Amino acid sequence: MNTADLGLPVDVPSTALFTDQYELTMLQAALAAGTADRRSVFEVFTRRLPEGRRYGVVAGTGRVLDAVENFRFDADVLAFLGERGIVDEPTLEWLSSYRFGGDVWGYPEGEVYFPGSPILRVEGSFAECVLLETVILSILNHDSAIAAAASRMASAAGDRPLIEMGARRTHELAAVAASRAAYLGGFATTSDLAAGFRYGIPTVGTSAHAFTLLHDTERDAFQAQVDSLGRGTTLLVDTYDVAEAVRTAVEVAGTELGAVRIDSGDLLLVAHRVREQLDDLGARDTKIVVTSDLDEYAIASLAAAPVDAYGVGTQLVTGSGHPTCSMVYKLVARAESADPTAPLVPVAKKSSGGKTSIGGRKWAARRLDEHAVAEAEVIGTGPVPAELADQQLLVELIKGGQVLARESLDVVRDRHAAARTRLPLSAAQLSRGEPVLPTEYV
């Protein structure tokens, strides 16, 4: 069963309290001032990419759609807000019937983005839109950071598969979201069963060092695993002496042994030695899987090693040094009154310190060169130039409060792989540098 198609949250009946208190105090004040019903446009964007990143990856959109649908203030939540005196009675009454009824446009999940890209646009009354700020940013900042790290690792790995195995290095619910984002970014499998159940991601796993240490000898451990899981299993060979373990593994499982896993030491050196030993023992088809605190740089350094797959944990689920994307949710336009026909007025924050923003409801397009390779991210607030009409990026996700369509994770994963191929080759470079595409405002 794939529960992702049901639109269910991971373990909570409502996402309404996944927010900051000031969203509700702003709502209360706006209701009292008569400005809460003004038509408003909020946009999600980032002013810069994390240092060294050449592109960002949009991830978490499907989870955002779930969160918006499940943003409900039930009796227990309302009682909590009332007992704490967080908002007044008129606001509690308004919240009791809250349902987002606006529109949401955004970059398709799996697409890449750049500084200034209007990744998500939320339109409706100020009241209904402002409440969604924190939960939307929480999801997009986390998932996009993981997906960007995963994408870089996938580029470094080439055709070799990547295994996500970071559940023990992060919050139990964050682990599920991280696994989803990693799969989107190019990972092939996960060790996290909750992610497999929730999102249909293929799961893998065999044994840890504890299983070897449980038995009187390494041979006993290998024999027990092979008897249970078959000769195609993966045996962990670095608990004691690697060379002796490889020899024992082939003696136990034969040349049909599926794979060996190396989790410590000089992986480049050990992988070469293990490959040579396996070949000498006749186990030429036995794969080598390496783990041990890998990141994209370590993966790239193993490109010439006889490695068949990589298992990545800590560095992946922490965004490989960048656990957030610094996305913000800003009001960029609002109506002059609560009249539904009132025109929208561009608004923007003006301040020092690099925190300025650009007002107006925006469109975005990606200009391609004669070889169909992206050459610029073009953003504007006026009419879309004719030559960019078929290169627009935003798609409608929610209309009148109704989710228009949900996509399978495999579709999103394929979209990202395709988007990456349309970027300049320098996008895959791991050296420090600027975003691979410039952002142009028209």
Side-chain angles (χ1 to χ4, degrees):
M1 179 179 67
N2 183 1
T3 61
D5 295 332
L6 303 179
L8 300 174
V10 175
D11 76 336
V12 291
S14 168
T15 53
L17 292 184
F18 290 171
T19 192
D20 291 304
Q21 182 166 322
Y22 78 169
E23 316 291 8
L24 299 186
T25 56
M26 284 191 287
L27 169 66
Q28 176 178 306
L31 288 171
T35 53
D37 290 331
R38 288 187 175 185
R39 190 159 55 101
S40 300
V41 180
F42 287 82
E43 288 176 352
V44 175
F45 63 94
T46 185
R47 297 183 176 93
R48 65 192 64 84
L49 297 181
E51 183 180 359
R53 296 288 195 259
R54 301 302 180 91
Y55 59 89
V57 180
V58 179
T61 307
R63 298 208 306 121
V64 166
L65 299 180
D66 291 347
V68 172
E69 280 196 331
N70 289 285
F71 206 91
R72 305 283 187 267
F73 292 84
D74 59 25
D76 290 340
V77 170
L78 292 170
F80 164 77
L81 297 175
E83 291 166 2
R84 295 289 184 94
I86 293 171
V87 291
D88 59 20
E89 284 298 327
T91 305
L92 289 173
E93 180 63 27
W94 189 92
L95 291 172
S96 68
S97 59
Y98 177 83
R99 299 290 186 274
F100 178 72
D103 303 330
V104 176
W105 290 71
Y107 278 37
E109 189 168 16
E111 185 56 84
V112 296
Y113 70 87
F114 298 91
S117 297
I119 297 163
L120 201 73
R121 189 174 71 220
V122 183
E123 304 182 30
S125 70
F126 176 84
E128 63 184 337
C129 294
V130 74
L131 294 181
L132 300 176
E133 174 182 5
T134 302
V135 70
I136 286 176
L137 288 179
S138 176
I139 293 170
L140 292 180
N141 268 312
H142 174 270
D143 289 23
S144 296
I146 306 305
S151 181
R152 284 162 59 86
M153 293 174 188
S155 289
D159 295 331
R160 297 171 177 176
L162 291 157
I163 306 163
E164 185 279 310
M165 47 196 303
R168 65 191 61 193
R169 303 301 190 207
T170 188
H171 185 279
E172 64 271 21
L173 297 186
V176 182
S179 181
R180 180 185 184 278
Y183 187 70
L184 181 162
F187 274 59
T189 54
T190 180
S191 65
D192 190 336
L193 291 178
F197 173 77
R198 176 71 177 84
Y199 295 115
I201 302 169
T203 59
V204 295
T206 51
S207 67
H209 293 101
F211 187 75
T212 300
L213 297 170
L214 168 69
H215 293 81
D216 295 336
T217 68
E218 195 167 45
R219 180 181 294 274
D220 290 344
F222 288 173
Q223 189 66 61
Q225 184 173 327
V226 170
D227 288 347
S228 177
L229 301 178
R231 297 178 186 273
T233 192
T234 298
L235 295 176
L236 181 59
V237 295
D238 73 329
T239 305
Y240 304 117
D241 179 82
V242 173
E244 181 62 30
V246 171
R247 184 179 305 107
T248 302
V250 176
E251 289 176 358
V252 170
T255 58
E256 300 169 26
L257 174 62
V260 295
R261 179 162 74 95
I262 307 166
D263 188 49
S264 60
D266 183 336
L267 296 180
L268 179 61
L269 176 63
V270 176
H272 277 287
R273 288 177 174 172
V274 168
R275 181 73 273 160
E276 182 178 3
Q277 185 180 9
L278 287 170
D279 291 348
D280 288 345
L281 293 170
R284 296 181 176 277
D285 294 328
T286 299
K287 308 294 186 184
I288 297 176
V289 180
V290 294
T291 53
S292 184
D293 290 328
L294 298 177
D295 61 10
E296 59 266 49
Y297 301 101
I299 291 169
S301 73
L302 292 168
V307 171
D308 298 287
Y310 306 93
V312 190
T314 303
Q315 293 301 318
L316 175 67
V317 298
T318 56
S320 194
H322 299 288
T324 182
C325 301
S326 299
M327 293 178 186
V328 294
Y329 183 96
K330 296 298 181 183
L331 181 67
V332 297
R334 52 87 174 168
E336 295 177 328
S337 70
D339 184 342
T341 64
L344 289 173
V345 178
V347 295
K349 176 181 178 180
K350 297 186 184 300
S351 65
S352 60
K355 283 196 169 185
T356 58
S357 56
I358 299 174
R361 183 179 186 270
K362 299 173 193 66
W363 53 264
R366 189 160 298 144
R367 191 172 68 240
L368 308 178
D369 65 15
E370 65 273 20
H371 304 291
V373 175
E375 63 179 13
E377 192 88 338
V378 186
I379 299 169
T381 57
V384 180
E387 66 273 16
L388 295 176
D390 61 349
Q391 302 297 334
Q392 293 189 71
L393 291 163
L394 278 79
V395 298
E396 196 167 20
L397 301 170
I398 296 177
K399 185 176 180 62
Q402 299 299 311
V403 175
L404 296 182
R406 282 189 168 84
E407 297 180 306
S408 75
L409 193 50
D410 284 326
V411 168
V412 173
R413 171 185 165 90
D414 290 344
R415 176 182 293 124
H416 176 63
R420 204 166 60 199
T421 64
R422 292 190 291 268
L423 294 176
L425 291 177
S426 57
Q429 291 179 341
L430 297 180
S431 58
R432 292 188 179 187
E434 297 299 315
V436 72
L437 296 186
T439 301
E440 300 178 0
Y441 293 94
V442 298

